[in-house]
């Protein structure tokens, strides 16, 4: 086998696609992407214009994330027939150097015959195609094959591919699908790169190969997974040694759900709700769990013991937060641990500064939590640190205070604050926001829905330099894979009602065009199942009766309420108002409709009562269902699911146009 090189033409897919037709404006000057699948939930960005760089849109990222970054994003679905024709000269040129293993239309692995250099390959590609390219050396590769037949063959192969992708770490892996008939006369082979380990996207990829090959009623499918990174195949029954990349790979939604179930099952199966059993389990570690898994088990049980719920912090997000800490100049570092800090965060700090001497002073840790920490410490690979305990804040100054309760009276050069994202927007935290705004917040790590697994509210980590004035703030999301750098004065601006960490130019355009705090709200759970009848005086509107486009489904199977049976229900006050509106009480897909007279809402819906003398036309109501407003509203609520009944910003930012 000769030398292996991985060659990719930079943005060739975009150039090939937009060159085929005329546009009123140059696509290169618009936020414009070529996507695999136009479905925003499962699509993937394959090519992009230079304008997309302004919004930090990257190749191979989910289309849903790209649309969140830019509400005006123009999306065009990839034309695979066109790309096949355009890519033929690329493959032919690569074949002149040796054997070609196709990854995608603009990417391949070349097994070079003889000797050549990556610089020479790069120069040849640039000269022939007029576009930059990347050429990287690749390891020898190995192939895995599996065959499936029947109606569910594609779904089965999708599962096999996902399992392989989680092992491979989604780098330089291709799938080849061979589809054939029983008689063996017709057989079609197609290859595509696998950009993700998401089962839905892989299933779409496999289905697209079938559609692309125009295979009808195939009797069997053979899936060949080619991994161009491994030097040799490993037997499936052997324990695999994960690379650094695989160990720190961000977990997907399905990974997080499986991990939550694993921790819950470990607690239940070993009767760890009993503290004595927990102490013994941590001490002996009979399952040989890693330290991060022991931390998750201990934290889940300890939080339940303290009446805080059954939740624990994600090791991935804690490592991202700790990686943002500064490199302290002194050989010895002093830490103050204030409040109930996650165990995984504590030991992530130990790992981050493994070569330094560390002194941890705990404030507010009860005796049982101290015992758990001491037991966990026995399983740490490092021992160059000490734990001290105090009943209140100490007079000494620390290098870093790690806390879940903001206490400026604890003197430290830096603060790592783990907080609920409600701190960003709820009025009750206004004084804390004002105090933090005066200092330099140099990083915000959005922990999203899985950062604190099992907790209703989303959390974030703020890294604060207590000795510096505000400058730029780095905002990290998706376990550190997405990074936005903003001016602190911009996202904490006095022109805003609260902090908006993902603020951008599109948000500002909407913010300046609307007037806010326009509605009062009514919602409750008075209507019970026993009150619902097949007929009655008032139709009961439920969440499923309101379509995604903001229309009320007149054909929905609705229940009815008899007003005479429940005369004291407050919801009856809003049954016949002529200028009332309904909205989902909790939803990630906002929409508003005018409430018909003679209707009431159950607990899944809320009634909006205009504060001023205005009414919304059907066109104005459609604004709330638009992609642009939903993107604005998501940013306004700091990219978290909200409840209109409780969240200040959720109701405040249901703005109306200034001219009504």
């Amino acid at each position: 086998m000769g030398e292996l090189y991985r060659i990719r033409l930079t943005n060739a897919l975009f150039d090939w696609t937009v060159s085929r037709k005329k546009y009123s404006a140059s696509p290169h000057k618009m936020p414009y992407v070529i996507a695999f699948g136009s479905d925003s939930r499962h699509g993937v960005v394959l090519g992009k214009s230079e304008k997309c760089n302004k919004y930090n849109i990257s190749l191979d990222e989910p289309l849903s994330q790209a649309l969140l970054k830019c509400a005006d994003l123009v999306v065009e679905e990839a034309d695979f027939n066109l790309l096949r024709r355009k890519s033929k000269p690329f493959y032919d040129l690569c074949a002149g150097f040796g054997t070609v293993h196709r990854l995608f239309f603009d990417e391949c692995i070349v097994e070079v015959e003889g000797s050549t250099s990556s610089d020479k390959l790069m120069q040849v590609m640039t000269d022939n195609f007029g576009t930059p390219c990347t050429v990287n050396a690749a390891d020898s590769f190995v192939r895995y094959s599996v065959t499936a037949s029947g109606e569910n063959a594609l779904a089965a192969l999708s599962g096999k591919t996902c399992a392989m992708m989680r092992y491979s770490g989604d780098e330089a892996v291709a799938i080849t699908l061979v589809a054939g008939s029983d008689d063996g006369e017709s057989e079609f082979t197609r290859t595509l790169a696998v950009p993700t380990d998401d089962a839905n996207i892989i299933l779409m990829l496999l289905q697209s190969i079938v559609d692309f090959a125009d295979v009808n009623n195939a009797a069997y499918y053979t899936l060949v997974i080619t991994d161009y990174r491994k030097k040799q195949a490993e037997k499936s029954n052997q324990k695999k040694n994960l690379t650094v990349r695989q160990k720190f790979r961000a977990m997907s939604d399905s990974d997080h759900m499986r991990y939550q179930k694993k921790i819950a099952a470990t607690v239940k199966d070993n009767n760890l709700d009993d503290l004595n059993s927990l102490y013994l389990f941590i001490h002996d570690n009979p399952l040989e769990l890693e330290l991060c898994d022991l931390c998750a088990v201990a934290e889940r049980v300890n939080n339940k013991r303290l009446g805080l719920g059954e939740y624990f912090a994600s090791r991935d997000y804690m490592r991202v937060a700790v990686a943002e800490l500064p490199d302290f100049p002194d050989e010895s570092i002093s830490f103050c641990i204030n409040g109930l800090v996650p165990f995984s965060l504590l030991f992530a700090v130990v790992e981050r500064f493994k070569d330094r001497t560390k002194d941890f002073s705990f404030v507010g840790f009860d005796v049982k939590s101290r015992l758990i920490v001491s037991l966990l410490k026995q399983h740490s690979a490092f021992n160059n640190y000490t734990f001290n305990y105090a009943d209140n804040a100490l007079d000494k100054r620390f290098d870093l205070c790690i806390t879940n309760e903001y206490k400026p009276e604890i003197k430290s050069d830096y603060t790592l604050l783990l907080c609920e994202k409600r701190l960003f927007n709820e009025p009750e935290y206004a004084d804390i926001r004002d105090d933090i705004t005066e200092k330099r917040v140099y990083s915000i790590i959005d922990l999203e829905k899985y950062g604190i697994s099992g907790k209703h509210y989303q959390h974030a980590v703020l890294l604060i330099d207590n000795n510096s004035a505000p400058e730029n703030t780095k905002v990290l999301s998706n376990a550190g894979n997405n990074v936005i750098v903003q001016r602190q004065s911009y996202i904490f601006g006095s022109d805003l009602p609260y902090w908006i960490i993902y603020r951008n130019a599109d948000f500002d355009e909407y913010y300046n065009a609307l007037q806010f705090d326009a509605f009062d709200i009514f919602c409750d759970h008075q209507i019970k199942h026993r009150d619902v009848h097949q007929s009655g005086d008032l139709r009961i509107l439920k969440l499923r009766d309101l379509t995604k486009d903001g229309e009320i489904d007149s054909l929905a199977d609705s229940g009815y309420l008899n007003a005479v049976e429940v005369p004291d229900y407050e919801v009856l006050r809003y049954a016949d108002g002529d200028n009332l509106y309904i909205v989902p009480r909790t939803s990630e897909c906002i929409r508003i409709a005018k409430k018909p007279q003679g209707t009431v809402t159950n607990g899944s819906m809320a009634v909006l009562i205009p504060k001023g003398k205005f009414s919304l036309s059907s066109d104005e109501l459609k604004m709330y269902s638009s992609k642009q407003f939903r993107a604005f509203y998501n940013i306004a609520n700091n990219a978290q699911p909200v409840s209109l009944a409780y969240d200040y910003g959720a109701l405040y930012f249901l703005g109306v146009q200034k001219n009504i």
Side-chain angles (χ1 to χ4, degrees), residues 377-643:
K377 182 182 177 183
Q378 297 175 9
H379 299 283
S380 173
F382 314 102
N383 57 13
N384 55 344
Y385 58 98
T386 58
F387 286 166
N388 304 303
Y389 300 98
D391 294 330
N392 47 47
L394 306 180
D395 293 333
K396 64 176 291 188
R397 188 174 188 86
F398 299 93
D399 292 312
L400 174 68
C401 176
I402 302 176
T403 180
N404 63 349
E405 302 174 8
Y406 183 70
K407 290 188 176 181
E409 61 267 23
I410 297 179
K411 303 178 182 65
S412 63
D413 293 332
Y414 292 89
T415 299
L416 186 155
L417 173 62
L418 173 64
C419 63
E420 292 182 351
K421 287 170 68 174
R422 291 189 299 169
L423 182 143
F424 294 176
N425 60 286
E426 291 300 319
E428 62 191 275
Y429 299 107
D431 291 341
I432 295 178
R433 287 198 299 270
D434 290 342
D435 190 69
I436 295 177
T437 298
E438 299 299 320
K439 303 174 182 178
R440 184 191 174 198
V441 181
Y442 68 89
S443 283
I444 299 175
I445 297 90
D446 187 352
L447 301 186
E448 303 163 308
K449 60 181 177 180
Y450 290 120
I452 306 292
S453 296
K455 191 72 170 172
H456 174 67
Y457 287 106
Q458 291 190 6
H459 287 65
V461 171
L462 275 63
L463 297 177
I464 306 168
D465 182 347
N466 296 312
N467 301 324
S468 300
E471 294 179 16
N472 289 336
T473 300
K474 183 195 300 184
V475 180
L476 300 92
S477 59
N478 191 22
N481 290 327
N482 296 336
V483 180
I484 303 174
V485 178
Q486 307 265 45
R487 283 180 291 107
Q488 182 176 323
S489 59
Y490 179 61
I491 60 177
F492 294 177
S494 58
D495 58 325
L496 298 173
Y498 52 74
W499 295 351
I500 297 181
I501 62 175
Y502 295 108
R503 182 180 183 180
N504 58 26
D506 295 324
F507 172 89
D508 290 344
E509 184 176 351
Y510 252 103
Y511 185 64
N512 295 326
L514 300 180
Q515 60 186 32
F516 301 101
D517 197 20
F519 297 99
D520 286 321
I521 191 169
F522 169 82
C523 54
D524 69 5
H525 290 274
Q526 283 185 298
I527 298 177
K528 304 297 190 294
H529 181 71
R530 64 176 179 268
D531 302 322
V532 181
H533 307 286
Q534 293 185 345
S535 61
D537 305 330
L538 304 169
R539 178 185 174 185
I540 302 173
L541 296 176
K542 305 176 291 297
L543 179 60
R544 67 185 182 188
D545 298 336
L546 185 60
T547 69
K548 298 292 186 182
D549 298 324
E551 302 289 340
I552 297 176
D553 186 356
S554 59
L555 302 178
D557 184 15
S558 301
Y560 291 85
L561 183 72
N562 290 320
V564 294
E565 297 178 0
V566 288
D568 57 337
Y569 279 15
E570 190 177 358
V571 70
L572 299 178
R573 294 171 48 195
Y574 304 97
D576 294 314
D578 60 356
N579 189 34
L580 299 174
Y581 304 89
I582 56 173
V583 64
R585 176 174 176 165
T586 302
S587 176
E588 296 181 9
C589 183
I590 192 68
R591 64 267 196 202
I592 298 178
K594 188 162 187 178
K595 192 184 88 64
Q597 293 190 354
T599 62
V600 292
T601 56
N602 73 353
S604 66
M605 300 287 288
V607 178
L608 296 178
I609 306 104
K611 288 185 176 181
K613 295 181 179 180
F614 66 85
S615 61
L616 301 176
S617 66
S618 58
D619 288 339
E620 289 165 339
L621 287 171
K622 288 179 181 178
M623 175 193 73
Y624 300 102
S625 305
S626 67
K627 179 175 65 175
Q628 292 82 3
F629 182 83
R630 286 173 177 168
F632 161 81
Y633 195 65
N634 184 61
I635 293 174
N637 291 293
N638 289 305
Q640 60 181 328
V642 292
S643 171

Side-chain angles (χ1 to χ4, degrees), residues 41-69:
R41 291 182 60 194
H42 300 135
V44 178
V45 175
L46 299 180
K48 61 174 184 174
S49 65
E50 292 182 2
K51 188 73 171 179
C52 292
N53 295 333
K54 171 185 175 183
Y55 302 96
N56 295 312
I57 296 172
S58 58
L59 297 178
D60 298 334
E61 80 168 305
L63 183 58
S64 58
Q65 291 185 14
L67 289 170
L68 283 177
K69 295 176 182 177

